[in-house]
Amino acid sequence: MLYDLSIVWLRRDLRLEDNSALFRACRGSHRVAVMFNFDTSILCKLKSKSDQRVTFIYDTIVELDQQLRKFGSGLIVTTGDPVVEVPRIAKKLKANAVYFNEDYEPSAKARDTKVRSRLELAGVKCLEFKDHVIFAHTEICKPDGSPYKMYTPYKNSWLKRLGTLQFEAQTFENEKLVSWVEITNRVSKTVSSKTSPIPPMPTLENLGFERSKNFHVTKPGRKAASLNLKRWAEHLGTYHTTRDFPEVDHGTSGLSVHLRFGTISIRECVRLATRKPSLGSQVWLSELIWRDFYQMILDQFPHVAHGSFKKQYDKIKWLGSGKNFKLWSEGRTGFPIVDAGMRQLNQTGWMHNRLRMVTASFLVKDLLVDWRKGERYFSERLLDFDLAANNGGWQWCASTGCDSQPYFRIFNPVLQSQRFDPECKFIKRWLPELRSLSAKEIHLLPLQIPKPTIAGFRLGRNYPKPIVSHSVQKLLAVKMYDGSPRVFLD
Ligand SMILES: Cc1cc2nc3c(=O)[nH]c(=O)nc-3n(C[C@H](O)[C@H](O)[C@H](O)COP(=O)(O)OP(=O)(O)OC[C@H]3O[C@@H](n4cnc5c(N)ncnc54)[C@H](O)[C@@H]3O)c2cc1C
């Protein structure tokens, strides 16, 4: 039996191509309408009026609408509480079913439960699909059925299950898309002639935001995502050698924001990674598996959203100061590799993975600040912010997470800087005040041994003196975690 009319509710899957819910809706219905709701409960929490994530979503939505218009349809865009808006549109269109893709964040799951019960109460069927990950929660688990807590056995099991599995692109049937005329006709039968049946596309200003032009890593929208993936195919083969060096162009894919908002599907990425096997593609696939792993962890252990995966670490008495947290957030710690990373984040909304690790480790284990403060700071600024990956990354660095590094393993920021930005090209890009110094002098600044002869440069005047001593802080960090001395690994 086919539904007469179904709605596909887009959320973090902002594309028509290879979209599980849309694909299934087309198969299961005579007619399909597509909607998106700007969730005011999320928008009102954002601090910046020019939050680039809102611009990213907005531009992607406009592009989606244009794409649908080419098929004679259009995107139904509402603004408000989805618990109200989705059932309202379903009622107006007299839809029989609402299709959407699963979201594993605790707040999204709570929202979806409410939407589902409202729809079911109104006699509208609710159908949910896996789309955001390759394998969801219970698909990859230990032989006894419990979830994995360690990445490597999870990855092995994931790869085994992937086997030779082929992911055919899930193409939507454009002839099933409801024409805009039909949408308007259906709605006009249910409303008075004066009421606007389907609200027009809001402007960014209507939503209370301004345009952000801050897209350094990638542009919004499906077209940009596809282009990005195509370009990445040319660099993928050397990923294992380039991925750790922030100054290398195309050293990583830059696809995280597209994966976050679903302008690209995870299946498209896995297809690319498995098409032409190479060392680079294997290592890249492992990163995509980390993404699935952290989604599974958040889904199965939702307490991580508020506290440590290993609950004993919730007892830590953090010794760090608010003043040092502020200096860290502003990129003024006197540790060039840390400051360069933070300035990249503040100015572009993106940070290279190596630097996410270095800056996070520095905040927690050198400045002794609670990882949750850093996690929140990243969540407010990262264009690719994703609760599961961000939380997983922070807990890994803070040693509080599942399969995280041991707490006595403390990154040495000087060695990290020497190893991953040997010529200080990245540092000099983000810290112009250091351009007159040699790479060697820059690396050693945190040890306060720059040559006094450098023309016009004085530590403390041109660039901050280091706010802490790494060798002292790492001892304190270990004490803070448990008080016992350990061997230090850099
Ligand atoms: C403290 C910290 C916070 C982080 N916060 C986020 C976040 O909010 N959102 C986010 O997408 N990633 C986060 N990461 C993971 C990683 O830094 C980014 O995914 C990566 O830098 C994005 O760049 P890319 O797309 O070029 O990645 P690539 O190296 O090309 O990797 C491909 C894709 O794999 C996924 N991926 C890669 N590494 C990881 C990882 N360690 N964990 C989970 N997924 C991964 C991403 O989707 C990424 O786009 C965080 C890491 C750390 C250490």
Side-chain angles (χ1 to χ4, degrees):
M1 188 205 78
L2 294 183
Y3 293 115
D4 178 39
L5 191 145
S6 299
I7 293 175
V8 173
W9 173 27
L10 298 180
R11 300 104 62 84
R12 57 184 305 166
D13 49 350
L14 304 180
R15 65 184 187 284
L16 304 181
E17 297 79 6
D18 201 24
N19 183 316
S20 305
L22 178 59
F23 172 73
R24 298 293 283 270
C26 288
R27 287 209 155 172
S29 331
H30 289 294
R31 291 277 175 276
V32 176
V34 187
M35 79 169 285
F36 176 81
N37 177 65
F38 281 104
D39 188 337
T40 38
S41 66
I42 297 176
L43 294 181
C44 72
K45 286 188 200 131
L46 299 176
K47 286 187 182 161
S48 164
K49 288 290 146 216
S50 57
D51 191 303
Q52 45 178 330
R53 291 166 293 198
V54 181
T55 304
F56 188 97
I57 294 171
Y58 185 82
D59 286 358
T60 302
I61 290 303
V62 169
E63 191 190 84
L64 265 171
D65 182 49
Q66 287 164 355
Q67 199 184 349
L68 285 163
R69 299 265 165 193
K70 284 193 190 138
F71 300 120
S73 189
L75 186 66
I76 302 167
V77 181
T78 55
T79 308
D81 178 355
V83 180
V84 175
E85 292 304 313
V86 178
R88 186 174 73 85
I89 294 296
K91 188 174 172 202
K92 282 193 170 195
L93 292 185
K94 293 195 179 153
N96 317 98
V98 171
Y99 286 67
F100 56 86
N101 289 318
E102 289 168 351
D103 187 331
Y104 310 108
E105 293 192 5
S107 59
K109 286 201 277 191
R111 171 200 66 198
D112 292 348
T113 304
K114 285 189 204 154
V115 173
R116 201 180 308 116
S117 71
R118 283 266 187 119
L119 286 170
E120 282 169 0
L121 215 67
V124 180
K125 188 94 181 136
C126 230
L127 297 115
E128 293 171 55
F129 299 90
K130 177 184 71 171
D131 181 78
H132 186 58
V133 292
I134 295 292
F135 297 118
H137 36 273
T138 49
E139 285 183 286
I140 304 287
C141 42
K142 293 189 203 166
D144 67 1
S146 63
Y148 280 108
K149 296 178 186 173
M150 302 295 277
Y151 169 74
T152 305
Y154 172 88
K155 175 185 159 184
N156 293 339
S157 185
W158 192 103
L159 286 169
K160 207 165 150 197
R161 184 148 186 165
L162 185 76
T164 50
L165 205 68
Q166 297 289 322
F167 298 107
E168 295 300 326
Q170 307 186 50
T171 350
F172 66 98
E173 301 164 51
N174 60 45
E175 64 278 10
K176 291 272 176 94
L177 295 169
V178 186
S179 75
W180 196 249
V181 176
E182 193 177 336
I183 290 176
T184 320
N185 280 346
R186 277 185 178 251
V187 173
S188 58
K189 282 185 196 150
T190 64
V191 289
S192 73
S193 55
K194 283 191 178 162
T195 344
S196 163
I198 302 290
M201 173 84 73
T203 61
L204 265 178
E205 289 69 30
N206 293 153
L207 295 168
F209 288 84
E210 296 160 3
R211 172 157 290 280
S212 160
K213 293 198 182 75
N214 209 8
F215 297 109
H216 290 253
V217 185
T218 183
K219 291 198 164 57
R222 169 69 188 173
K223 274 189 209 145
S226 304
L227 230 125
N228 197 335
L229 188 69
K230 210 167 148 197
R231 191 188 58 204
W232 175 239
E234 295 162 21
H235 302 278
L236 175 61
T238 51
Y239 179 70
H240 58 299
T241 60
T242 57
R243 60 192 284 250
D244 269 319
F245 299 91
E247 192 51 22
V248 176
D249 280 339
H250 309 300
T252 68
S253 69
L255 281 166
S256 50
V257 57
H258 291 297
L259 281 163
R260 164 65 183 86
F261 293 112
T263 34
I264 203 102
S265 83
I266 182 65
R267 292 173 299 278
E268 290 176 285
C269 294
V270 170
R271 242 178 261 140
L272 173 66
T274 50
R275 196 180 59 193
K276 247 202 272 165
S278 66
L279 197 48
S281 66
Q282 273 172 30
V283 177
W284 196 58
L285 184 62
S286 317
E287 295 307 313
L288 299 176
I289 303 174
W290 270 109
R291 178 178 173 277
D292 262 22
F293 179 67
Y294 283 142
Q295 288 289 334
M296 179 278 289
I297 291 292
L298 179 63
D299 187 53
Q300 297 294 300
F301 304 95
H303 74 272
V304 297
H306 307 288
S308 307
F309 178 89
K310 295 176 186 146
K311 290 180 180 163
Q312 71 267 29
Y313 290 121
D314 281 340
K315 295 191 186 113
I316 292 176
K317 298 255 179 296
W318 299 94
L319 302 169
S321 69
K323 184 174 156 230
N324 280 352
F325 172 74
K326 188 165 182 289
L327 292 171
W328 171 85
S329 68
E330 291 167 353
R332 294 197 294 130
T333 65
F335 286 74
I337 192 78
V338 174
D339 293 343
M342 293 308 293
R343 294 203 206 167
Q344 181 184 37
L345 173 65
N346 291 337
Q347 288 174 42
T348 70
W350 192 80
M351 196 199 286
H352 188 279
N353 180 59
R354 172 58 48 185
L355 299 169
R356 294 188 203 202
M357 294 197 287
V358 170
T359 54
S361 171
F362 186 79
L363 181 72
V364 177
K365 293 180 180 169
D366 281 86
L367 300 185
L368 315 178
V369 171
D370 188 338
W371 61 270
R372 282 167 291 202
K373 281 186 87 175
E375 183 201 19
R376 196 174 324 120
Y377 189 82
F378 272 28
S379 76
E380 286 163 3
R381 279 166 186 77
L382 279 175
L383 178 56
D384 64 19
F385 164 61
D386 174 79
L387 177 56
N390 194 44
N391 181 274
W394 273 95
Q395 296 227 34
W396 186 88
C397 295
S399 307
T400 57
C402 57
D403 204 5
S404 52
Q405 62 171 347
Y407 66 85
F408 50 84
R409 189 179 174 99
I410 298 179
F411 275 11
N412 178 327
V414 171
L415 291 184
Q416 290 288 316
S417 160
Q418 287 168 334
R419 203 172 291 165
F420 298 112
D421 190 24
E423 294 167 46
C424 291
K425 283 189 184 162
F426 180 82
I427 291 175
K428 286 189 181 185
R429 182 140 64 98
W430 294 101
L431 305 178
E433 63 271 41
L434 298 183
R435 283 182 191 157
S436 62
L437 305 194
S438 70
K440 194 175 168 200
E441 286 158 346
I442 293 175
H443 292 309
L444 297 179
L445 281 177
L447 306 176
Q448 299 206 54
I449 42 174
K451 278 195 193 135
T453 51
I454 303 157
F457 182 85
R458 210 168 81 214
L459 196 59
R461 187 187 64 195
N462 302 87
Y463 179 71
K465 286 186 180 168
I467 57 174
V468 289
S469 152
H470 173 69
S471 51
V472 172
Q473 295 303 104
K474 69 179 187 182
L475 294 172
L476 276 176
V478 173
K479 277 196 179 156
M480 188 181 78
Y481 274 82
D482 87 347
S484 64
R486 296 275 172 164
V487 180
F488 296 104
L489 308 164
D490 289 315

